Amino acid sequence: MPLTHLGNLPIKDFLRDYWQQKPLLIRNAFPDFESPLDGDELAGLALEEAVESRLVLEKGSSPWELRTGPFDEETFAQLPESHWTLLVQAVDQWVPEVQELLQCFRFLPDWRLDDIMVSYAADQGSVGPHFDYYDVFLLQGSGKRRWRLGQECDSQSPRIEGTPLNILQDFDATEDWVLEPGDMLYIPPGWAHWGTAEGDDCITYSIGFRAPSQAEVVTDVAQEIASQLTNDQRYRDPDPAPASNPGAIPPAAIERLREMVLEHLTEENLAQWFGHYMTEPKYPDLEPETPEETIDWREPGGTLYRHPASRFAYYHREGKPSLLFVDGEHFECAPALAERLCERLEVESGALLAVADEEGLALIDELVAEGKLWVVGLDDVGR
Ligand code: SIN
Ligand code: CO
């Protein structure tokens, strides 16, 4: 279930007063929190080819050395006693108990989520003072981490040269906290922060929310719209009068261009693009495997589970079927079906049968066949 409060603060007050505005420390946000993973399990994930992982060694072959995975056991055996961190991305896609954590954060739209990154640090391990373009909840899983909060930064803030990590040259600490298991820190984009492990076995869960840059939006929208245009659709002169000076670009030409560009920025085009873009899988090469055989999802009592790497979203249109977005593609369907498919990460077949027409049934069949939805029958859960 999504959290209703962060500590004593109601979620609606958090969203109004802190979200994207200022940091917030929430002591005991998850009372009695037990880390679903330990260091060995995280290191095990970092051995896998399909898993994105990094090691940061503050005193490596160069200051703040960054190594990228997959790693081998030898690498872990040779790490120093202290001052290193292992970071593993998208652990929610690999570990069901970590995916469960996401349920708590579904007071925010699924399409804003990037992933849950999990870090394991030896004593004094750190990735240095930096800022992210992410909204992030830093949940302490085990051990202790000291978090220092710094100034607001931007792309002009000076970085330390010669390291691939964006480490800030200056860090003006304004707050200094030690977080214990279950404590959580919310940091909006652009705020400098610096976490260092206090003792070994420091595990931190970073629940990260992404927002595309304006440059990405403009480039990608343009690309998607352009892909639907033909070479015959071209600029046309606004007025056929003789040019007073052949070098002059008249304002009317610019106005014509503006109209030409704006003509394509319809609600329909933008909604389609946004749905495609924000549901694009994090690792497109790791598309869900097509299930070899699956039980019929229409069987009474069956449940459909969303593939942990799949992203679903929808957009309701006036007087037209809704757009259901799944992993960068869209499908038209009834509004109620789109809502049912997106509301929870699992949905009972009866709830779908109640709202799906013929085309809706075919759409669910397709999503099941592509492995975006997994079917579990009554027998499988052993009731
Ligand atoms: C960490 O978990 O060590 C780093 C997380 C962050 O600073 O974003
Ligand atoms: Co950070």
Side-chain angles (χ1 to χ4, degrees), residues 33-54:
F33 187 75
E34 277 187 33
S35 176
L37 284 170
D38 62 23
D40 286 340
E41 288 162 328
L42 196 66
L45 275 176
L47 305 177
E48 303 284 336
E49 188 78 43
V51 177
E52 184 186 348
S53 59
R54 290 168 292 164

Side-chain angles (χ1 to χ4, degrees), residues 250-271:
I254 300 302
E255 185 52 26
R256 182 51 68 90
L257 273 174
R258 209 172 67 89
E259 284 164 9
M260 201 175 94
V261 172
L262 288 182
E263 190 190 318
H264 300 293
L265 296 182
T266 57
E267 179 189 345
E268 177 79 12
N269 278 348
L270 285 175

